[in-house]
């Protein structure tokens, strides 16, 4: 690589040699003081108009002469500074361009190195995810966090020991979380099977961060409510069955009373008379309809509706859901 070090450019600097301005301020101040003391108010009153004009001219000449010298000296000092600043500003232009070029190159190299570090971090995460049985993209949002220079050994494309340990801890925690989730899903499905309940509402609740203990408690409540409804339906069904049996018995008894008797001697059929106020009882025929219902209140509303049907001895059959 070419050595771009330039000793001259590293050491060059402007040199200022201060000049000396000689002026006897002590004598000047003393002379002015003496002049002021000679021109008191009384003395000024005794001066003629022309004398006053002469004094003005005298001291105005002194003042103007000193001011002219001051300006000349100021130019001697200022002109080199103005010229120096103008030349330096002009020379700065290529220097600034060089700095910008070097910075752009530096940024380009740093960006490339960052991409290499990100790729290395991605490889490490993917390899560890594969060993743990996790999706390879599980930690893709973490790549930039671990691609900082401080996470790598100096001048090496190799993560520090403490960085690898931190990555291992993340992967292990995610593995444990996933295993716990799978176990919870299996427990919910097993409990749902045992309780004769659909598992989907409860697995959805788990995915919505509802604690497992609350889900199991809710499943038990739903199971107990289903058993109670079933017992109520069975009791009503039994009552209805007994009522129908009673109606059937009454009907049979009524039919028996209508059997015609035969005269044994003549063979004549004797019609038995029925009481005037006796009305035959007919069993109620079931009435069946097909309907489609939408429960905007969700599954809970359906369970409430189903309980109402069962409480009123209305049989139903589910032909489809969520259509």
């Amino acid at each position: 690589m070419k050595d771009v070090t330039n000793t001259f450019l590293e050491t060059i600097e402007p040199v200022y040699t201060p000049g000396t301005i000689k002026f006897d301020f002590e004598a000047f101040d003393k002379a002015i003081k003496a002049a002021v003391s000679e021109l008191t108010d009384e003395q000024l009153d005794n001066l003629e108009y022309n004398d006053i004009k002469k004094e003005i001219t005298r001291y105005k000449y002194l003042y103007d002469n000193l001011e002219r010298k001051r300006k000349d000296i100021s130019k001697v000092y200022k002109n080199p500074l103005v010229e120096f600043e103008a030349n330096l500003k002009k020379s700065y232009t290529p220097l600034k361009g060089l700095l910008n070029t070097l910075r752009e190159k530096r940024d380009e190299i740093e960006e490339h190195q960052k991409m290499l570090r990100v790729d290395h971090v991605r490889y490490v995460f993917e390899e560890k995810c594969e060993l743990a049985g996790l999706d390879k993209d599980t930690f893709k949002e973490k790549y930039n966090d671990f691609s900082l220079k401080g996470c790598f050994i100096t001048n090496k494309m190799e993560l520090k020991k403490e960085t690898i340990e931190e990555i291992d801890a993340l992967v292990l925690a995610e593995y444990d979380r996933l295993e716990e989730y799978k176990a919870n899903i299996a427990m919910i499905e097993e409990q749902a099977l045992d309780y004769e309940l659909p598992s989907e509402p409860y697995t959805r609740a788990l995915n919505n961060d509802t604690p497992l203990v609350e889900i199991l408690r809710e499943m038990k409540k739903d199971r107990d409510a289903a058993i109670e409804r079933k017992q109520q339906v069975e009791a009503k069904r039994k009552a209805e069955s007994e009522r129908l049996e009673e109606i059937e018995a009454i009907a049979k008894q009524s039919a028996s009373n209508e059997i015609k008797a035969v005269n044994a001697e003549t063979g004549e059929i004797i019609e038995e008379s029925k009481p005037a106020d006796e009305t035959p009882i007919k069993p109620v025929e079931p009435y069946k309809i097909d309907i489609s219902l939408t429960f905007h209140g969700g599954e809970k509303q359906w369970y409430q509706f189903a309980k109402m049907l069962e409480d009123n001895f209305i049989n139903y059959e589910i032909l489809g859901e969520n259509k």
Side-chain angles (χ1 to χ4, degrees):
M1 178 179 177
K2 183 179 180 181
D3 185 5
V4 296
T5 303
N6 191 318
T7 305
F8 172 76
L9 290 178
E10 292 178 356
T11 58
I12 187 172
E13 61 181 22
V15 178
Y16 167 66
T17 303
T20 302
I21 302 175
K22 295 181 179 181
F23 186 76
D24 192 346
F25 282 99
E26 184 178 353
F28 177 74
D29 292 341
K30 185 177 180 180
I32 291 296
K33 185 177 181 181
V36 172
S37 64
E38 291 176 357
L39 294 175
T40 62
D41 292 342
E42 183 179 350
Q43 290 173 325
L44 289 174
D45 290 339
N46 293 328
L47 289 177
E48 297 293 336
Y49 173 75
N50 289 333
D51 293 332
I52 293 175
K53 289 182 64 178
K54 288 180 181 179
E55 292 297 318
I56 291 175
T57 301
R58 175 187 175 189
Y59 291 113
K60 177 68 167 56
Y61 173 78
L62 172 64
Y63 178 86
D64 290 344
N65 187 55
L66 288 174
E67 187 64 14
R68 184 172 60 255
K69 285 290 185 180
R70 182 193 66 79
K71 290 180 179 179
D72 291 342
I73 293 172
S74 175
K75 289 180 181 179
V76 172
Y77 275 85
K78 285 185 177 178
N79 287 347
L81 176 62
V82 171
E83 182 181 358
F84 169 74
E85 289 179 341
N87 290 335
L88 192 60
K89 183 177 181 181
K90 182 179 179 182
S91 298
Y92 273 162
T93 301
L95 176 60
K96 289 180 179 179
L98 176 60
L99 280 172
N100 290 334
T101 301
L102 291 171
R103 286 168 180 155
E104 289 175 1
K105 190 62 180 178
R106 176 203 61 191
D107 295 343
E108 179 183 336
I109 293 173
E110 287 184 351
E111 183 63 23
H112 178 67
Q113 290 176 342
K114 181 181 178 181
M115 291 177 61
L116 292 177
R117 293 196 300 271
V118 170
D119 286 341
H120 183 75
V121 171
R122 179 188 296 110
Y123 168 77
V124 172
F125 266 111
E126 289 182 353
E127 184 180 41
K128 292 183 180 296
C129 285
E130 184 178 359
L131 291 174
L134 301 175
D135 186 278
K136 68 181 183 68
D137 294 328
T138 301
F139 299 97
K140 63 181 180 179
E141 302 298 329
K142 299 284 186 180
Y143 295 162
N144 285 334
D145 297 340
F146 287 91
S147 66
L148 302 177
K149 290 181 180 179
C151 297
F152 284 75
I153 298 174
T154 304
N155 297 328
K156 287 186 178 182
M157 192 57 62
E158 181 180 348
L159 290 170
K160 293 180 178 178
K161 180 181 178 182
E162 55 267 30
T163 305
I164 294 177
E165 289 175 351
E166 189 175 351
I167 291 175
D168 287 339
L170 284 175
V171 174
L172 182 59
E174 179 62 16
Y175 173 81
D176 291 341
R177 188 198 68 79
L178 189 59
E179 288 300 304
E180 181 182 3
Y181 171 78
K182 291 178 181 178
N184 291 344
I185 289 291
M187 185 180 298
I188 289 173
E189 291 177 345
E190 182 179 354
Q191 198 77 309
L193 183 63
D194 185 46
Y195 286 171
E196 298 182 352
L197 294 171
S199 62
E200 289 79 7
Y202 308 105
T203 54
R204 281 200 297 270
L206 183 68
N207 291 330
N208 291 330
D209 298 328
T210 304
L212 178 65
V213 64
E214 292 185 16
I215 294 174
L216 296 177
R217 188 184 300 121
E218 189 66 24
M219 292 180 74
K220 185 176 183 304
K221 286 173 58 178
D222 292 344
R223 188 277 309 267
D224 293 343
I227 291 176
E228 183 180 354
R229 288 196 301 272
K230 187 175 181 180
Q231 290 174 345
Q232 290 176 353
V233 170
E234 181 62 24
K236 291 180 180 180
R237 188 198 63 74
K238 185 177 180 181
E240 179 68 11
S241 178
E242 291 176 353
R243 187 177 71 84
L244 291 176
E245 289 178 0
E246 184 179 356
I247 292 174
E248 186 178 356
I250 293 173
K252 288 181 180 180
Q253 182 64 37
S254 176
S256 176
N257 292 337
E258 292 178 359
I259 295 177
K260 298 170 183 170
V262 179
N263 190 304
E265 296 181 355
T266 63
E268 180 183 359
I269 297 176
I270 303 173
E271 182 74 30
E272 290 189 358
S273 60
K274 294 186 290 184
D277 59 348
E278 184 177 340
T279 302
I281 300 177
K282 296 182 180 180
V284 178
E285 291 293 330
Y287 184 72
K288 181 178 180 181
I289 61 173
D290 292 329
I291 62 175
S292 174
L293 301 174
T294 299
F295 297 93
H296 296 284
E299 291 179 329
K300 188 174 181 180
Q301 186 182 19
W302 153 245
Y303 290 139
Q304 293 172 346
F305 183 75
K307 185 176 183 303
M308 182 272 292
L309 295 177
E310 293 166 355
D311 290 346
N312 289 274
F313 304 102
I314 301 175
N315 295 331
Y316 63 86
E317 178 183 1
I318 299 175
L319 301 178
E321 295 183 70
N322 293 330
K323 294 184 178 180

PDB file of all heavy atoms in Angstrom, residues 16 31 51 56 81 168 220 233 249 262-263 270 298-299:
ATOM      1  N   TYR A  16       3.250  33.992  12.913  1.00  0.00           N
ATOM      2  CA  TYR A  16       2.963  35.424  13.068  1.00  0.00           C
ATOM      3  C   TYR A  16       4.079  36.063  13.889  1.00  0.00           C
ATOM      4  O   TYR A  16       4.414  35.597  14.983  1.00  0.00           O
ATOM      5  CB  TYR A  16       1.618  35.615  13.764  1.00  0.00           C
ATOM      6  CG  TYR A  16       1.377  37.029  14.240  1.00  0.00           C
ATOM      7  CD1 TYR A  16       1.237  38.071  13.324  1.00  0.00           C
ATOM      8  CD2 TYR A  16       1.306  37.313  15.599  1.00  0.00           C
ATOM      9  CE1 TYR A  16       1.013  39.362  13.754  1.00  0.00           C
ATOM     10  CE2 TYR A  16       1.093  38.614  16.036  1.00  0.00           C
ATOM     11  CZ  TYR A  16       0.938  39.634  15.114  1.00  0.00           C
ATOM     12  OH  TYR A  16       0.734  40.926  15.537  1.00  0.00           O
ATOM     13  N   ALA A  31       0.940  66.507  27.895  1.00  0.00           N
ATOM     14  CA  ALA A  31       0.776  67.696  27.069  1.00  0.00           C
ATOM     15  C   ALA A  31      -0.696  68.052  26.912  1.00  0.00           C
ATOM     16  O   ALA A  31      -1.075  69.230  26.971  1.00  0.00           O
ATOM     17  CB  ALA A  31       1.425  67.477  25.706  1.00  0.00           C
ATOM     18  N   ASP A  51      -8.826  83.783  17.663  1.00  0.00           N
ATOM     19  CA  ASP A  51      -7.926  82.962  18.471  1.00  0.00           C
ATOM     20  C   ASP A  51      -8.530  81.576  18.747  1.00  0.00           C
ATOM     21  O   ASP A  51      -7.823  80.559  18.742  1.00  0.00           O
ATOM     22  CB  ASP A  51      -7.631  83.675  19.806  1.00  0.00           C
ATOM     23  CG  ASP A  51      -6.821  84.957  19.601  1.00  0.00           C
ATOM     24  OD1 ASP A  51      -6.073  84.981  18.600  1.00  0.00           O
ATOM     25  OD2 ASP A  51      -6.948  85.845  20.443  1.00  0.00           O
ATOM     26  N   ILE A  56      -8.744  75.706  17.578  1.00  0.00           N
ATOM     27  CA  ILE A  56      -9.476  74.556  17.011  1.00  0.00           C
ATOM     28  C   ILE A  56      -8.674  73.930  15.886  1.00  0.00           C
ATOM     29  O   ILE A  56      -8.512  72.706  15.799  1.00  0.00           O
ATOM     30  CB  ILE A  56     -10.872  74.975  16.514  1.00  0.00           C
ATOM     31  CG1 ILE A  56     -11.775  75.347  17.697  1.00  0.00           C
ATOM     32  CG2 ILE A  56     -11.513  73.858  15.667  1.00  0.00           C
ATOM     33  CD1 ILE A  56     -13.125  75.895  17.299  1.00  0.00           C
ATOM     34  N   LEU A  81      -3.420  39.928   7.299  1.00  0.00           N
ATOM     35  CA  LEU A  81      -4.391  38.972   7.847  1.00  0.00           C
ATOM     36  C   LEU A  81      -5.492  38.670   6.834  1.00  0.00           C
ATOM     37  O   LEU A  81      -5.868  37.513   6.620  1.00  0.00           O
ATOM     38  CB  LEU A  81      -5.001  39.531   9.133  1.00  0.00           C
ATOM     39  CG  LEU A  81      -6.111  38.690   9.780  1.00  0.00           C
ATOM     40  CD1 LEU A  81      -5.559  37.322  10.183  1.00  0.00           C
ATOM     41  CD2 LEU A  81      -6.705  39.407  10.989  1.00  0.00           C
ATOM     42  N   ASP A 168     -26.432 -17.887  23.202  1.00  0.00           N
ATOM     43  CA  ASP A 168     -26.856 -19.202  23.701  1.00  0.00           C
ATOM     44  C   ASP A 168     -28.014 -19.066  24.682  1.00  0.00           C
ATOM     45  O   ASP A 168     -28.957 -19.873  24.658  1.00  0.00           O
ATOM     46  CB  ASP A 168     -25.683 -19.906  24.382  1.00  0.00           C
ATOM     47  CG  ASP A 168     -24.649 -20.410  23.376  1.00  0.00           C
ATOM     48  OD1 ASP A 168     -25.017 -20.577  22.198  1.00  0.00           O
ATOM     49  OD2 ASP A 168     -23.489 -20.625  23.771  1.00  0.00           O
ATOM     50  N   LYS A 220     -62.947 -26.241  33.130  1.00  0.00           N
ATOM     51  CA  LYS A 220     -63.688 -26.988  34.158  1.00  0.00           C
ATOM     52  C   LYS A 220     -65.077 -26.393  34.351  1.00  0.00           C
ATOM     53  O   LYS A 220     -66.072 -27.122  34.471  1.00  0.00           O
ATOM     54  CB  LYS A 220     -62.929 -26.964  35.480  1.00  0.00           C
ATOM     55  CG  LYS A 220     -63.570 -27.824  36.574  1.00  0.00           C
ATOM     56  CD  LYS A 220     -62.725 -27.828  37.829  1.00  0.00           C
ATOM     57  CE  LYS A 220     -63.334 -28.755  38.880  1.00  0.00           C
ATOM     58  NZ  LYS A 220     -64.723 -28.427  39.222  1.00  0.00           N
ATOM     59  N   VAL A 233     -81.297 -31.691  30.347  1.00  0.00           N
ATOM     60  CA  VAL A 233     -81.915 -32.212  29.124  1.00  0.00           C
ATOM     61  C   VAL A 233     -82.405 -33.639  29.333  1.00  0.00           C
ATOM     62  O   VAL A 233     -83.500 -34.014  28.902  1.00  0.00           O
ATOM     63  CB  VAL A 233     -80.911 -32.149  27.957  1.00  0.00           C
ATOM     64  CG1 VAL A 233     -81.445 -32.903  26.748  1.00  0.00           C
ATOM     65  CG2 VAL A 233     -80.628 -30.701  27.581  1.00  0.00           C
ATOM     66  N   ALA A 249    -100.645 -44.762  26.875  1.00  0.00           N
ATOM     67  CA  ALA A 249    -101.448 -45.691  27.694  1.00  0.00           C
ATOM     68  C   ALA A 249    -102.907 -45.283  27.700  1.00  0.00           C
ATOM     69  O   ALA A 249    -103.818 -46.131  27.605  1.00  0.00           O
ATOM     70  CB  ALA A 249    -100.890 -45.724  29.125  1.00  0.00           C
ATOM     71  N   VAL A 262    -119.771 -58.921  20.821  1.00  0.00           N
ATOM     72  CA  VAL A 262    -120.554 -59.803  19.927  1.00  0.00           C
ATOM     73  C   VAL A 262    -121.537 -60.606  20.782  1.00  0.00           C
ATOM     74  O   VAL A 262    -121.159 -61.232  21.773  1.00  0.00           O
ATOM     75  CB  VAL A 262    -119.630 -60.751  19.159  1.00  0.00           C
ATOM     76  CG1 VAL A 262    -120.473 -61.668  18.269  1.00  0.00           C
ATOM     77  CG2 VAL A 262    -118.633 -59.938  18.331  1.00  0.00           C
ATOM     78  N   ASN A 263    -122.840 -60.658  20.327  1.00  0.00           N
ATOM     79  CA  ASN A 263    -123.864 -61.454  21.025  1.00  0.00           C
ATOM     80  C   ASN A 263    -123.608 -62.928  20.734  1.00  0.00           C
ATOM     81  O   ASN A 263    -123.596 -63.346  19.589  1.00  0.00           O
ATOM     82  CB  ASN A 263    -125.267 -61.046  20.524  1.00  0.00           C
ATOM     83  CG  ASN A 263    -126.350 -61.669  21.384  1.00  0.00           C
ATOM     84  OD1 ASN A 263    -126.408 -62.899  21.552  1.00  0.00           O
ATOM     85  ND2 ASN A 263    -127.238 -60.832  21.911  1.00  0.00           N
ATOM     86  N   ILE A 270    -122.460 -55.774  19.063  1.00  0.00           N
ATOM     87  CA  ILE A 270    -123.039 -54.776  19.959  1.00  0.00           C
ATOM     88  C   ILE A 270    -122.081 -53.576  20.042  1.00  0.00           C
ATOM     89  O   ILE A 270    -120.920 -53.713  20.409  1.00  0.00           O
ATOM     90  CB  ILE A 270    -123.281 -55.387  21.349  1.00  0.00           C
ATOM     91  CG1 ILE A 270    -124.195 -56.619  21.220  1.00  0.00           C
ATOM     92  CG2 ILE A 270    -123.878 -54.339  22.282  1.00  0.00           C
ATOM     93  CD1 ILE A 270    -124.334 -57.368  22.536  1.00  0.00           C
ATOM     94  N   GLY A 298     -70.218 -14.488  19.240  1.00  0.00           N
ATOM     95  CA  GLY A 298     -69.188 -15.520  19.302  1.00  0.00           C
ATOM     96  C   GLY A 298     -69.681 -16.824  19.903  1.00  0.00           C
ATOM     97  O   GLY A 298     -70.893 -17.068  20.067  1.00  0.00           O
ATOM     98  N   GLU A 299     -68.737 -17.700  20.233  1.00  0.00           N
ATOM     99  CA  GLU A 299     -69.055 -19.039  20.716  1.00  0.00           C
ATOM    100  C   GLU A 299     -69.848 -19.001  22.023  1.00  0.00           C
ATOM    101  O   GLU A 299     -70.734 -19.830  22.249  1.00  0.00           O
ATOM    102  CB  GLU A 299     -67.760 -19.831  20.912  1.00  0.00           C
ATOM    103  CG  GLU A 299     -67.051 -20.175  19.618  1.00  0.00           C
ATOM    104  CD  GLU A 299     -65.768 -20.934  19.868  1.00  0.00           C
ATOM    105  OE1 GLU A 299     -65.143 -20.705  20.896  1.00  0.00           O
ATOM    106  OE2 GLU A 299     -65.415 -21.772  19.004  1.00  0.00           O
TER     107      GLU A 299
END
